[in-house]
Amino acid sequence: MAKPNGGGPLLAIGCEGSANKLGIGIISHDPATGKSAILANLRHTFVSPPGTGFLPKDTARHHRSFFARLAREALAAAGVTDPARQLSCVCYTRGPGMGAPLQSVAVAARALALMWGGLPLVGVNHCVGHIEMGREITGADNPVVLYVSGGNTQVIAYAERRYRIFGETLDIAVGNCLDRFARTLNISNDPAPGYNIELLARKADGRVLLDLPYAVKGMDCSFSGILTAADLLAAQMKEQREKLARGEEVKEEDRFGPEDLCFSLQETVYAMLVEITERAMAHVGSNQVLIVGGVGCNERLQEMMGQMAKERGGSVYATDERFCIDNGIMIAHAGLLAYETGFRTPLEESTCTQRFRTDEVYVKWRD
């Protein structure tokens, strides 16, 4: 589909704000060569104090405060001086995510489209954005996708124009489990609680693997019970420290620290994810795994998944924090793919929703 001005590469701006990351990205697709180019990928994160999470109202206020500045910086970085003429469409995250932040960014994207001469709007599924960006960056052809973040945990494979969900969490997402445990230990949220848990886990010598529930149920996982068990162990660790401070004896073999807790939590939940991913690979006959979402940055998860894939004669694809963590460029990319197939979101339908499953999207741009 040609640009309104008659040809050349298609450019799109993507606006992401489903959680605590506000992202603005600008991408170029060249229909003649089929190649894409990232022109800008900027992000600003709302960081709450240690021991706390990010509330929807505070996160939405953050997004409203920084949106205009981040959009201007992205346009400047991409060399876009006349958006109404140079851009083909404005893409935004329709869902899933947190209601108030989603709404703030949807309103801002709508304003941009109207301000720039009525550019077409494209509402994008956040999960599909992660998948398509991961495929674009890594070159993975038709992988089983493990999508792991603070709000989602899904094992996905593509079939018949949809991303089919083979397994998922039955309660909280794996990233939410890690984030909430970081609050228990009063770990900093800067740059991200999950990353700081990973750093603590690396300090463990690996000799202490604390007993935590292993909750795999068919192709699905459950993380809430693991979090409760980890919280109880954290309370036990606190009691040990108080006893030692009073001069009371605690057996050396019974002692453990926060690094042991973080190590044990990571090893347990990531082993669960590897198991259900391997089962999906066997079911669909794939030898490729693509890890997307914020938790996908975790090097230990990538290592464990790599060991499994190697044993199956397969390979693992993952990206770095520029593309794993929520970002605007993935929304621009997935939105532009949909735009090129003729998809548009009418202004009166440019809403957002907290519930928008991955398999609801008709993936017209893939065979």
Side-chain angles (χ1 to χ4, degrees), residues 242-254:
E242 290 172 350
K243 283 184 178 180
L244 291 170
R246 293 193 299 266
E248 299 178 24
E249 183 181 355
V250 176
K251 292 181 180 179
E252 187 68 33
E253 61 268 24
D254 293 336

Side-chain angles (χ1 to χ4, degrees), residues 82-321:
D82 186 355
R85 185 182 63 83
Q86 293 175 264
L87 297 180
S88 296
C89 57
V90 175
C91 311
Y92 75 97
T93 303
R94 183 169 179 264
M98 300 169 68
L102 278 172
Q103 187 180 54
S104 296
V105 174
V107 169
R110 202 178 303 148
L112 292 182
L114 291 171
M115 184 172 64
W116 293 335
L119 282 178
L121 279 164
V122 179
V124 176
N125 179 287
H126 178 87
C127 314
V128 171
H130 272 297
I131 295 169
E132 292 301 347
M133 200 68 229
R135 291 180 62 239
E136 174 67 24
I137 294 298
T138 64
D141 179 31
N142 190 27
V144 167
V145 179
L146 176 64
Y147 172 36
V148 278
S149 68
N152 299 274
T153 300
Q154 298 175 345
V155 177
I156 301 161
Y158 175 79
E160 298 178 350
R161 294 278 171 97
R162 293 190 189 271
Y163 286 112
R164 312 287 177 171
I165 300 172
F166 280 71
E168 59 191 319
T169 178
L170 296 172
D171 40 48
I172 62 174
V174 63
N176 187 243
C177 175
L178 295 170
D179 291 351
R180 287 166 64 178
F181 188 62
R183 291 182 224 167
T184 299
L185 296 185
N186 206 37
I187 293 172
S188 172
N189 291 319
D190 189 15
Y195 176 69
N196 291 328
I197 281 181
E198 180 182 4
L199 294 182
L200 266 176
R202 290 178 190 172
K203 295 180 181 179
D205 56 19
R207 290 182 296 176
V208 177
L209 181 63
L210 299 166
D211 189 23
L212 291 169
Y214 188 92
V216 170
K217 304 181 181 184
M219 285 296 299
D220 299 324
C221 289
S222 173
F223 298 100
S224 58
I226 299 170
L227 175 61
T228 300
D231 285 345
L232 291 172
L233 286 170
Q236 184 180 332
M237 177 190 70
K238 184 179 178 182
E239 289 178 7
Q240 288 182 355
R241 288 180 170 182
E242 290 172 350
K243 283 184 178 180
L244 291 170
R246 293 193 299 266
E248 299 178 24
E249 183 181 355
V250 176
K251 292 181 180 179
E252 187 68 33
E253 61 268 24
D254 293 336
R255 298 180 190 179
F256 57 88
E259 62 280 357
D260 300 311
L261 280 168
C262 293
F263 172 78
S264 300
L265 181 60
Q266 279 201 160
E267 294 296 302
T268 302
V269 298
Y270 293 161
M272 291 162 53
L273 295 173
V274 169
E275 178 182 337
I276 62 173
T277 303
E278 183 175 19
R279 194 172 292 130
M281 291 174 70
H283 184 81
V284 303
S286 174
N287 64 355
Q288 294 182 338
V289 181
L290 172 63
I291 308 176
V292 300
V295 181
C297 294
N298 188 285
E299 292 182 6
R300 179 55 181 155
L301 174 59
Q302 294 179 13
E303 180 186 9
M304 293 172 71
M305 196 67 71
Q307 291 172 348
M308 178 274 290
K310 184 178 180 181
E311 291 174 3
R312 298 182 61 85
S315 52
V316 172
Y317 297 83
T319 63
D320 59 32
E321 60 88 24

